[in-house]
């Protein structure tokens, strides 16, 4: 079992994460503390779970290499090297013009989930979190590329894991990406093709999710692209904002490829 009583945050420098209520968490974050990714398991991303993202492919979805729209969730792993927390700095790779800021709701598993029924799926959820699922912009989503999605610090999570009672309706939650100096990018979880319960049922039909794993609901279409010098806040519902900054890759030489 993986349980969340309230808000679980792992402050950078602390040996272990700690539980806080919402007021105490926000007071802590006003001190501009950096955090580690507060996770205990694997992190899985989901492609083409946003209606507009699928529609944007148009007729191409019926041509090679796709040949048809997916009839099951399209997953990819965000490996350990990608994980980072609140107030991290992410390097823009030398071979990229920018990084797409894919804001997504992260579903935190509380129990081992195998072939769960839709009507029971939310019983397996411990809580939720904000995920900045970063990637190098690219046109093809066929066989998701490690090179585009698995660079260092390309999965920023937090600031905290939030108990599910704080998000009673995860299928209708506002998503905002605020890049300093630009209009806010706005989306909603309501555009998901597979809502939270359906996604969990469909994924666990062919693989087991473990307690502490995080499954993202997917990235909304049209996500903004960050460039060196940008700072972004990812807001999902009433959860505390997740802050990420972006720097020229040469400034983190020896730390991030």
């Amino acid at each position: 079992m993986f349980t969340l009583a309230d808000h679980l945050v792992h402050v950078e420098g602390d040996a272990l994460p700690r539980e806080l209520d919402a007021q105490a968490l926000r007071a802590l974050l006003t001190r501009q503390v950096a955090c580690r990714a507060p996770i205990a398991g694997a992190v899985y991303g989901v492609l083409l779970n946003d209606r507009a993202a699928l529609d944007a492919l148009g007729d191409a979805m019926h041509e090679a290499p796709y040949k048809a729209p997916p009839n099951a969730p399209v997953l990819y792993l965000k490996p350990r090297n990608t994980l980072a927390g609140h107030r991290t700095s992410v390097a823009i790779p030398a071979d990229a013009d920018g990084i797409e800021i894919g804001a997504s709701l992260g579903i935190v598993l509380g129990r081992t989930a195998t072939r769960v029924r839709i009507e029971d799926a939310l019983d397996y959820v411990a809580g939720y979190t904000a995920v900045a699922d970063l990637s190098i912009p690219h046109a093809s989503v066929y066989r998701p590329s490690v090179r585009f999605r698995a660079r260092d610090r390309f999965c920023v999570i937090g600031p905290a894991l939030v108990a599910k009672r704080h998000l009673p309706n995860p299928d209708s939650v506002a998503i905002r990406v605020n890049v300093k100096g630009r209009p806010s990018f706005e989306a909603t979880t309501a555009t998901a093709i597979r809502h939270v319960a359906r996604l969990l049922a469909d994924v666990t039909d062919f693989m087991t999710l473990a307690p502490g794993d995080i499954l993202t609901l997917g990235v909304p279409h049209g996500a903004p692209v960050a460039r060196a010098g940008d700072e972004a806040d990812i807001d999902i519902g009433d959860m505390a904002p997740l802050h990420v900054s972006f720097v020229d890759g040469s400034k983190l030489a020896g730390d991030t490829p």
Side-chain angles (χ1 to χ4, degrees):
M1 292 284 290
F2 180 81
T3 60
L4 288 170
D6 211 316
H7 294 72
L8 185 71
V9 61
H10 194 165
V11 175
E12 193 67 60
D14 286 0
L16 296 170
R18 50 177 142 152
E19 290 263 9
L20 298 172
D21 62 28
Q23 183 176 358
L25 175 65
R26 289 186 180 271
L28 176 71
L29 296 178
T30 59
R31 291 156 41 193
Q32 298 189 336
V33 298
C35 300
R36 298 175 64 180
I39 69 163
V43 181
Y44 300 94
V46 180
L47 281 177
L48 299 178
N49 195 38
D50 179 69
R51 175 60 60 188
L54 187 61
D55 290 346
L57 289 171
D59 292 340
M61 198 80 263
H62 299 275
E63 300 171 357
Y66 311 107
K67 297 184 179 178
N71 56 19
V74 181
L75 302 184
Y76 53 92
L77 179 68
K78 300 295 281 195
R80 184 64 58 177
N81 70 293
T82 67
L83 303 180
H86 177 64
R87 303 199 72 83
T88 195
S89 291
V90 179
I92 306 291
D95 57 351
D97 292 330
I99 293 176
E100 183 178 280
I101 309 171
S104 182
L105 178 68
I107 307 160
V108 185
L109 273 293
R111 298 164 50 193
T112 300
T114 303
R115 293 181 178 164
V116 303
R117 301 185 304 169
I118 291 177
E119 55 268 34
D120 299 328
L122 294 184
D123 293 338
Y124 291 80
V125 176
Y128 303 94
T129 191
V131 178
D133 185 352
L134 308 179
S135 65
I136 295 173
H138 54 285
S140 175
V141 293
Y142 183 67
R143 293 181 180 173
S145 172
V146 169
R147 183 175 179 82
F148 294 146
R149 296 183 177 274
R151 302 286 183 107
D152 291 354
R153 302 180 185 171
F154 265 33
C155 186
V156 189
I157 298 173
L161 307 184
V162 180
K164 70 177 179 181
R165 63 186 171 84
H166 292 297
L167 204 71
N169 186 9
D171 297 319
S172 183
V173 178
I175 297 173
R176 292 172 297 278
V177 180
N178 297 300
V179 179
K180 191 174 181 179
R182 298 193 216 166
S184 175
F185 170 80
E186 299 189 1
T188 172
T189 61
T191 61
I193 295 171
R194 290 177 171 87
H195 53 69
V196 172
R198 171 71 186 275
L199 181 64
L200 285 171
D202 286 356
V203 169
T204 61
D205 186 57
F206 61 83
M207 65 180 285
T208 296
L209 295 175
D213 284 353
I214 294 177
L215 176 67
T216 74
L217 192 61
V219 173
H221 181 63
V225 174
R227 293 179 171 79
D230 282 340
E231 295 186 13
D233 286 310
I234 291 87
D235 293 282
I236 298 185
D238 294 327
M239 291 190 284
L242 174 64
H243 184 82
V244 187
S245 58
F246 298 87
V247 300
D248 188 322
S250 63
K251 295 182 180 179
L252 293 182
D255 185 39
T256 300

